[in-house]
Amino acid sequence: MTTPPGTSDSPHPSYPEDLERPGLVRTGRSTFVRPIRPEDADRLVAFVGTLSRATLAYRSLGPVVRARDDVIRRGVHVDYLNELALVALAGDEIAGLVRYVRDPAEPEHAEVTFTIRDDHQSEGFGRLLLEHIAAAARARGIRVLEADVLADNARMINVFLGSGYRTQAGPPGQIIHFEIAVDPQAQAVARAERREQTAVRRSLKPLLEPRSVAVIGANRDPLTIGHEIVANLLRGGFAGSVFPVNPRAEEIAGARAYAGVRDLPEPPDLALVAVRADAVPGVVRECAEVGVKAVVVVSTGFGETGAEGRAGELELARFARASGMRLVGPNCMGVVNTTPAARLAATFSPALPTPGRVAMSSQSGPLGLAVLDYARRLRLGFSGFVSVGHAVDVSTDELLQWWEEDPGTSVILLHVETFGDPRRFARVARRVAPRKPIVAVHPGHADSAVSSLFAQSGVIRTRSLQELFDVALLLAHQPPPPGNRVAVITNAGGPAALTVGACAASGLCVPALGERTRQTLRPALAPHADVSNPIDLTPTATAAHYRRALDAALADDGIDAAVVLFMPPLADKPDEVASAILDAAAARPDKPVLASFLGGAGVADLLHRGDLVVPTYTFPEAAATSLGHAAAYQTWRSTPAGVVPDLAGVDAERARALIASCAPGPVPAAVAAELLASYGIAVRGGAPGPGPDAFLSVRSDPVFGPVVAFGLTGDYADLMADVAHRVTPLSDRDAREMVRSLRATPLLEKQGVDFGALEETVLRLSAMVEDLPEIEALELRPARLLPAGHGVAVPHATIRLAANTTGGTPS
């Protein structure tokens, strides 16, 4: 990151490492995009030397004579602020180059030029580089990129017109002048998402649906990782070619072995690497040279060993991306895809999952072994499982995009330790979650930013792996409940009382049954049965009693789901009771049924009948907790999706001018008031009127970006930790849910505060910090919540600008 002109003694900002990003072009080919460096001089000369005369003519808007090498070399010297060049790499070579030069007369305008090597011009490098340069320019105070394009340069014209950015073309002629507004418009974001989704799926196909697999480091010893990967691939029914690689073996697990990657009869789509850490870089380089498309590094000895190991794995990822390969790991246990198109068991796990409709990504290799074993014991089938390890390349959000379109996947599980790009994760999850539930476990239980990210994205967050699988068991086999009203059917009062309490703790209710339902049940059950809710069938209950009670409860319009409890020691023939439960569940597929056969061994097998499965839990509290998560998810899914609204009364140009006039650190109170006024928030001193005092603040989180906080001042926030958080940008739905999510909300409702004005203030703050990334911290304290119709009074505000920023205008 760099400081604005005028705030640094150096005329040239430092190299912006934050602009180093992996990328995917339309064809699915991976690349690495980064700013140009002085040491790229020879690489740039070689790049220009490959360009055809036609490409040079398009770049220079007419016939040209090739420039001298010393002139070309000057192009690597940029200040990364007023002039910036980004290169997209293919191996060690430049595949594409984009450069902007700021206009000294109009500092918010810059001229932009694109050059793509001839052999990469149909792959989508131009559009990818436009997205990267637009984001970089926007962060540096540039609002309009200008480009002159020859009228017959159809590819570049299509890049601009199809970008989704607001474009304005000059009059038709031999040269067309484009002006591209780089503000992130909804259309541009949507088109970028579609391009990214297509590219991600194409890039992951060699990883998850390979036609051939090499195992480098395969071993003859059955107790080794390299041997077990080969054996699992063969046992799992992989239909393609399996190539064990070991220079000292002729055959491994029944498959012919090869001395090295270069000795293989064909370039494999996928290579699994299980060699010493110090040998991994050389193996990955060999894979790139022979044309391998995806690599899974099982080997350990990287980031978990310290800073040097972390640097090594990041360099490995950069090389893989620049070479057009995708990389999973390192320190992972492999990938599994049970779908008929793949039947891929590229893992050393001794427990392979049975086919099913659940997919999972795990960031822990050792944990994956336990996960697959536990899933088999639960009879929870998997469509796919990817152990991403240190996730230096292939990420959780990319796997979400693969499983989003996978017809064999209906539930997605995530074990997430760290986020590579939280905002991209949130964007993808918001798109996927309405169609397929996403259930996640994250070790940071008290991390408000993570909780906010999941809540905004519709991700079901669980507190433990046990809870993760409890929820998965329900969502994989039963629909989410249409509401939160639960019938509890039991043959023992004690477990029923526990279930009622667990339901209340999980946001569910156990209402009395309707009078018609009770009239139906009384003559159909034992004389002493209780037909209120819970429905206590007494210890003498038979399978027929369970069937009648469950039929009646599910037919009740006031019931959304049922939890069935059975104590085997109190009754005989659990198989008949299980069959009765299955019959009733099959008759009402729109309402979920869960069971808890306390103390019953092997009951899970009894509650399976073809595709019909009633999830069963050892203890009823787990059933209630899972149902509570499913009900909350259904409520989120049923609520209209939010939008980031266009706000009236916003003068972003004025705000940017004010920011440019300020040094890093605290902003003077008068300027802070002007900045807020530019976004329609008035700061006025004096008595603000009656109402409770609250605070609204924004802090720049190093991982999640700007995080908005809202709470009441005093004991509510300080002693009870009653504070709501959301990650920007906020939609109208986010703002609505945020201001009503405090435990003190009933108090605010009783006092009649102006919730509408509070929501609008939150949205204006969100828009402000999104438009002005220089803002590091902002706080409105106090913010007086006035009665309905009177708004929010802000007598005081503080704003602090970051010490390192890329904003500002040229000096």
Side-chain angles (χ1 to χ4, degrees):
M1 304 292 284
T2 58
T3 55
T7 63
S8 172
D9 294 333
S10 172
H12 300 297
S14 60
Y15 176 81
E17 291 186 1
D18 61 299
L19 295 184
E20 291 187 345
R21 297 285 177 85
L24 292 172
V25 296
R26 176 180 50 80
T27 60
R29 177 193 174 93
S30 63
T31 183
F32 193 75
V33 179
R34 62 165 174 80
I36 203 164
R37 304 167 180 161
E39 56 266 32
D40 289 325
D42 290 341
R43 189 176 281 113
L44 184 60
V45 169
F47 168 69
V48 174
T50 67
L51 303 178
S52 67
R53 288 193 174 274
T55 296
L56 288 171
Y58 282 142
R59 167 65 179 80
S60 303
L61 304 180
V64 294
V65 177
R66 290 187 183 273
R68 300 194 315 269
D69 288 357
D70 61 323
V71 175
I72 296 172
R73 291 175 187 276
R74 294 173 196 165
V76 302
H77 299 288
V78 297
D79 64 8
Y80 303 115
L81 178 61
N82 300 321
E83 182 178 8
L84 173 66
L86 302 177
V87 294
L89 300 177
D92 292 331
E93 300 176 339
I94 296 174
L97 169 73
V98 61
R99 183 188 304 270
Y100 80 62
V101 178
R102 196 192 298 259
D103 185 344
E106 293 185 84
E108 292 193 346
H109 287 236
E111 181 185 1
V112 65
T113 57
F114 294 79
T115 312
I116 310 299
R117 210 170 73 185
D118 289 69
D119 54 340
H120 292 294
Q121 286 181 2
S122 61
E123 297 181 19
F125 277 92
R127 190 157 294 172
L128 176 69
L129 287 172
L130 174 58
E131 292 171 12
H132 283 253
I133 201 71
R138 188 164 58 241
R140 287 157 175 75
I142 294 170
R143 304 300 156 188
V144 177
L145 293 174
E146 299 187 29
D148 289 324
V149 183
L150 288 177
D152 63 345
N153 189 352
R155 281 186 176 139
M156 205 66 239
I157 291 171
N158 288 336
V159 166
F160 293 145
L161 295 180
S163 68
Y165 291 109
R166 287 181 290 122
T167 58
Q168 180 177 337
Q174 186 178 2
I175 297 175
I176 302 175
H177 181 75
F178 281 95
E179 292 190 357
I180 304 113
V182 298
D183 289 329
Q185 299 297 308
Q187 186 181 38
V189 172
R191 290 187 181 182
E193 284 186 6
R194 287 196 297 271
R195 187 200 64 79
E196 176 191 70
Q197 184 183 12
T198 300
V200 164
R201 288 189 57 79
R202 287 176 176 169
S203 78
L204 294 183
K205 190 174 179 65
L207 171 70
L208 296 170
E209 293 182 356
R211 294 166 298 180
S212 55
V213 181
V215 181
I216 305 167
N219 199 296
R220 287 171 291 190
D221 186 348
L223 300 179
T224 59
I225 287 175
H227 183 280
E228 289 307 296
I229 294 174
V230 176
N232 279 340
L233 284 166
L234 299 173
R235 282 197 298 262
F238 179 63
S241 301
V242 178
F243 303 127
V245 176
N246 184 324
R248 293 180 295 277
E250 295 183 358
E251 182 181 285
I252 293 176
R256 178 188 170 184
Y258 296 85
V261 177
R262 292 187 176 89
D263 300 308
L264 299 179
E266 64 183 68
D269 282 345
L270 172 64
L272 285 98
V273 179
V275 300
R276 299 186 322 274
D278 60 349
V280 169
V283 168
V284 171
R285 182 171 290 277
E286 283 188 0
C287 288
E289 290 171 354
V290 302
V292 173
K293 297 182 177 66
V295 177
V296 175
V297 179
V298 176
S299 311
T300 60
F302 289 91
E304 75 276 12
T305 65
E308 185 177 348
R310 180 61 178 168
E313 67 185 18
L314 291 177
E315 182 56 36
L316 198 66
R318 291 189 189 100
F319 173 79
R321 274 302 187 108
S323 301
M325 295 190 301
R326 302 309 311 270
L327 186 146
V328 172
N331 193 9
C332 70
M333 56 169 287
V335 299
V336 175
N337 187 350
T338 69
T339 60
R343 299 175 68 185
L344 176 72
T347 176
F348 57 86
S349 172
L352 295 179
T354 56
R357 303 193 63 80
V358 176
M360 183 173 183
S361 166
S362 172
Q363 283 191 327
S364 170
L367 184 65
L369 296 173
V371 161
L372 293 180
D373 179 65
Y374 185 61
R376 282 191 70 90
R377 288 189 280 121
L378 281 180
R379 292 193 60 174
L380 183 65
F382 275 63
S383 59
F385 180 89
V386 178
S387 170
V388 294
H390 294 169
V392 294
D393 178 27
V394 172
S395 60
T396 299
D397 56 80
E398 290 181 306
L399 292 170
L400 281 178
Q401 294 182 77
W402 175 270
W403 289 320
E404 176 184 10
E405 300 299 329
D406 179 19
T409 298
S410 59
V411 180
I412 301 170
L413 308 184
L414 306 176
H415 166 252
V416 184
E417 294 179 353
T418 59
F419 291 91
D421 187 339
R423 292 189 164 207
R424 186 167 72 165
F425 171 86
R427 172 169 49 79
V428 174
R430 281 185 181 187
R431 188 179 74 229
V432 177
R435 298 171 52 197
K436 298 182 180 183
I438 304 170
V439 191
V441 62
H442 183 279
H445 293 296
D447 192 330
S448 59
V450 173
S451 297
S452 301
L453 184 73
F454 285 163
Q456 288 174 256
S457 308
V459 175
I460 301 169
R461 184 179 188 182
T462 60
R463 295 165 293 185
S464 65
L465 281 167
Q466 177 69 60
E467 193 173 303
L468 178 89
F469 280 99
D470 287 342
V471 177
L473 199 60
L474 167 59
L475 293 175
H477 301 302
Q478 296 283 308
N484 70 340
R485 301 163 300 178
V486 182
V488 178
I489 301 169
T490 183
N491 64 347
L498 290 174
T499 306
V500 172
C503 284
S506 301
L508 305 169
C509 65
V510 183
L513 299 176
E515 180 58 33
R516 178 177 298 178
T517 303
R518 293 198 296 271
Q519 289 177 359
T520 301
L521 284 174
R522 285 190 186 101
L525 302 180
H528 300 293
D530 184 346
V531 296
S532 53
N533 193 14
I535 305 171
D536 190 346
L537 303 177
T538 76
T540 62
T542 65
H545 291 144
Y546 269 95
R547 174 66 194 271
R548 293 168 192 155
L550 189 51
D551 279 341
L554 294 175
D556 192 318
D557 290 338
I559 296 297
D560 301 306
V563 177
V564 184
L565 311 178
F566 178 72
M567 289 288 289
L570 301 181
D572 294 328
K573 301 180 180 178
D575 54 335
E576 294 183 5
V577 173
S579 181
I581 293 171
L582 288 169
D583 290 341
R588 287 304 301 260
D590 57 321
K591 295 183 180 182
V593 177
L594 297 77
S596 178
F597 278 38
L598 290 89
V603 174
D605 294 336
L606 299 178
L607 288 165
H608 282 245
R609 181 189 295 160
D611 292 335
L612 175 62
V613 178
V614 171
T616 181
Y617 302 86
T618 303
F619 298 109
E621 296 93 334
T625 300
S626 302
L627 193 57
H629 281 302
Y633 164 72
Q634 180 62 18
T635 298
W636 176 88
R637 188 166 69 169
S638 303
T639 304
V643 296
V644 178
D646 291 326
L647 300 168
V650 171
D651 189 346
E653 301 303 319
R654 178 190 175 201
R656 282 192 281 269
L658 289 167
I659 288 285
S661 69
C662 295
V667 171
V671 177
E674 282 193 72
L675 279 170
L676 288 160
S678 299
Y679 280 81
I681 301 173
V683 179
R684 299 190 182 94
D693 282 338
F695 70 88
L696 286 162
S697 68
V698 184
R699 293 287 185 275
S700 181
D701 184 273
V703 175
F704 293 92
V707 178
V708 183
F710 164 64
L712 298 184
T713 58
D715 292 345
Y716 287 104
D718 299 336
L719 298 181
M720 301 176 64
D722 192 14
V723 180
H725 297 84
R726 290 294 185 273
V727 178
T728 66
L730 270 65
S731 68
D732 51 2
R733 172 177 172 172
D734 295 330
R736 184 170 58 252
E737 293 175 350
M738 179 184 185
V739 303
R740 289 170 172 81
S741 64
L742 298 182
R743 292 193 294 275
T745 296
L747 173 64
L748 300 180
E749 291 173 338
K750 185 176 180 179
Q751 294 180 322
V753 304
D754 194 336
F755 277 105
L758 180 57
E759 291 172 26
E760 184 175 332
T761 303
V762 167
L763 288 170
R764 290 182 180 277
L765 287 179
S766 172
M768 183 176 178
V769 297
E770 283 290 302
D771 287 349
L772 307 172
E774 299 87 348
I775 295 177
E776 182 179 65
L778 181 156
E779 186 168 51
L780 312 182
R781 183 189 288 265
R784 180 67 57 84
L785 308 182
L786 302 177
H790 292 80
V792 177
V794 181
H796 180 68
T798 59
I799 295 176
R800 186 175 69 250
L801 301 185
N804 294 315
T805 177
T806 54
T809 56
S811 52

